[in-house]
Amino acid sequence: MALGGVVVAVVVFLAAMADVSRADGKCCYAAGCQSCNPAGNWCDNSQANCEGQCHGTWCPAPPPPSPGPPPPSPPNPHCKTQVVAGALNVSIDGKPTMLYVAQSGNATSSVKPSGTSLAIEYNARMYFVDRCIETFDPDAFYKFQLLGKTLSYTVDLTGIHCGCVAAFYLVKMPAYSSSQKPDKTKCDDYYCDANNVCGVFCPEMDIMEANTAAMAVTPHKCDAPSGLHYNNCDRGGCGKNTKTMDNVYGPGTSFTVDTTKSFRLAVSFQGTAELENIVTTVSQGSASFQIDHASCGSYLGKLTDAFKAGMTVAISSWGGQGSQVSWLDVPPCPTSTNCAGTGTLTFSNITVADNIVEGQGRL
């Protein structure tokens, strides 16, 4: 065959192969699709050439993957906003943890966190939140998991006298309305408690309500909720008070714990499947005494669901006329003694650890 004949035969063969590619190919450059002509003679990466010249199916490139939620912001020890007064370092299960101190929407005095210490002026209330927020957020309240745990702290009450109340307690925030939505309440900060202070009920555990003369530890159960909303709670609670105990707590060296000096409080929430007992140990140096709630019996179990859901720590300093606070400190305080409203309350070295009452061993 002459050379010209060979060339013609090759051209005819290539044209036939091109027709096959045009008929069967898919014009796309995305993963999983095949170009209609790998040699690049027919497709120029356009839908017109794909469908018109190659008789293929256009497969556009897939959209880029969603970036997903942004990573959490790193802890900001310098956070200060109209809500957040600053950050406090605590210890949770042996891990240093930074929490933010949010001041109550209706407080008229300030809270001042610094390192591991927290100072609270009279008529202030605060909560721990898990992020640096600009306004109150119902999802931001830090939920302490305390069932089977011991929470402890050092407290200085030397400026908190008769008629005044220093409170460190747990509440099941945020508040929820009967429509099952978070409720800012009349306090404008989602606060709730067992005494309906801001217009919404929720379970409450008063770890400490105290002044230099007396201290009460009081769990408050609630009726079964309707969804997330509580219609009623036990305002009185199943409380224990040092004023019924002989010489364990008060100002001066004649007491086991001298409240003119700082002391350590550790509260142990016993049980894992259910809250079975609450044991509070108050210590100062080598001296200590305990408050045991075993006599509350099945009452404590009514708080189990709230503890499993997680409780928010609230701290406040308040007071009034002596007659208004008689449930706490009369006697030993006279009913005629009113709160001076001038002392500063200080907490430090807040710790959550395994279920051990400090100085008493494992429970």
Side-chain angles (χ1 to χ4, degrees):
M1 180 182 295
L3 181 58
V6 173
V7 172
V8 170
V10 171
V11 170
V12 170
F13 173 77
L14 290 176
M17 292 300 296
D19 286 341
V20 171
S21 296
R22 290 181 189 185
D24 299 332
K26 289 186 177 180
C27 199
C28 183
Y29 295 88
C33 293
Q34 182 180 359
S35 163
C36 73
N37 189 335
N41 293 332
W42 299 106
C43 286
D44 63 359
N45 204 19
S46 72
Q47 183 172 0
N49 277 2
C50 169
E51 296 174 347
Q53 295 185 33
C54 299
H55 309 291
T57 301
W58 177 250
C59 302
S66 171
S73 300
N76 177 11
H78 306 294
C79 168
K80 285 191 178 181
T81 69
Q82 62 180 354
V83 168
V84 173
L88 188 75
N89 296 317
V90 303
S91 176
I92 299 178
D93 295 328
K95 298 178 181 179
T97 304
M98 180 181 293
L99 298 178
Y100 299 99
V101 176
Q103 185 163 315
S104 167
N106 68 344
T108 59
S109 297
S110 66
V111 294
K112 299 176 181 177
S114 177
T116 60
S117 182
L118 177 66
I120 302 179
E121 296 178 354
Y122 179 74
N123 207 25
R125 185 171 70 233
M126 56 131 295
Y127 326 108
F128 287 122
V129 295
D130 62 10
R131 66 201 75 164
C132 184
I133 54 176
E134 296 289 340
T135 59
F136 275 104
D137 179 344
D139 297 322
F141 297 105
Y142 186 83
K143 301 293 196 303
F144 283 81
Q145 298 293 330
L146 295 174
L147 195 60
K149 299 288 184 178
T150 293
L151 185 151
S152 60
Y153 54 80
T154 299
V155 59
D156 187 339
L157 297 173
T158 54
I160 313 299
H161 302 297
C162 292
C164 304
V165 183
F168 189 112
Y169 57 113
L170 309 171
V171 284
K172 192 178 180 296
M173 292 174 68
Y176 277 87
S177 68
S178 58
S179 61
Q180 307 300 313
K181 295 181 180 179
D183 189 341
K184 294 191 77 172
T185 76
K186 66 183 182 182
C187 295
D188 203 33
D189 56 10
Y190 299 98
Y191 178 75
C192 59
D193 62 17
N195 275 279
N196 203 30
V197 168
C198 293
V200 180
F201 285 109
C202 69
E204 177 178 349
M205 171 63 216
D206 295 323
I207 292 172
M208 181 192 80
E209 292 176 294
N211 54 38
T212 54
M215 180 176 71
V217 181
T218 310
H220 297 265
K221 70 176 183 177
C222 298
D223 294 344
S226 300
L228 296 170
H229 176 72
Y230 291 88
N231 293 300
N232 185 60
C233 296
D234 178 14
R235 295 172 185 258
C238 186
K240 307 291 183 180
N241 195 310
T242 59
K243 67 182 182 180
T244 66
M245 305 168 71
D246 292 334
N247 301 319
V248 297
Y249 179 96
T253 57
S254 62
F255 296 94
T256 304
V257 169
D258 177 4
T259 56
T260 65
K261 302 175 183 178
S262 62
F263 58 88
R264 188 82 178 164
L265 184 148
V267 57
S268 176
F269 300 101
Q270 298 181 27
T272 52
E274 182 175 89
L275 181 60
E276 300 170 358
N277 194 13
I278 301 168
V279 178
T280 303
T281 300
V282 183
S283 59
Q284 192 175 62
S286 60
S288 67
F289 69 90
Q290 286 190 331
I291 300 172
D292 193 313
H293 280 75
S295 62
C296 292
S298 61
Y299 185 102
L300 301 179
K302 303 297 184 181
L303 287 162
T304 298
D305 288 346
F307 269 74
K308 286 184 174 181
M311 299 283 271
T312 295
V313 166
I315 305 175
S316 64
S317 178
W318 60 281
Q321 296 180 354
S323 59
Q324 296 174 313
V325 191
S326 60
W327 55 269
L328 172 64
D329 61 13
V330 177
C333 296
T335 306
S336 58
T337 302
N338 301 331
C339 180
T342 56
T344 297
L345 170 65
T346 303
F347 293 92
S348 59
N349 300 315
I350 297 172
T351 300
V352 175
D354 197 8
N355 201 8
I356 298 174
V357 173
E358 293 186 359
Q360 302 298 320
R362 187 174 299 275
L363 292 170

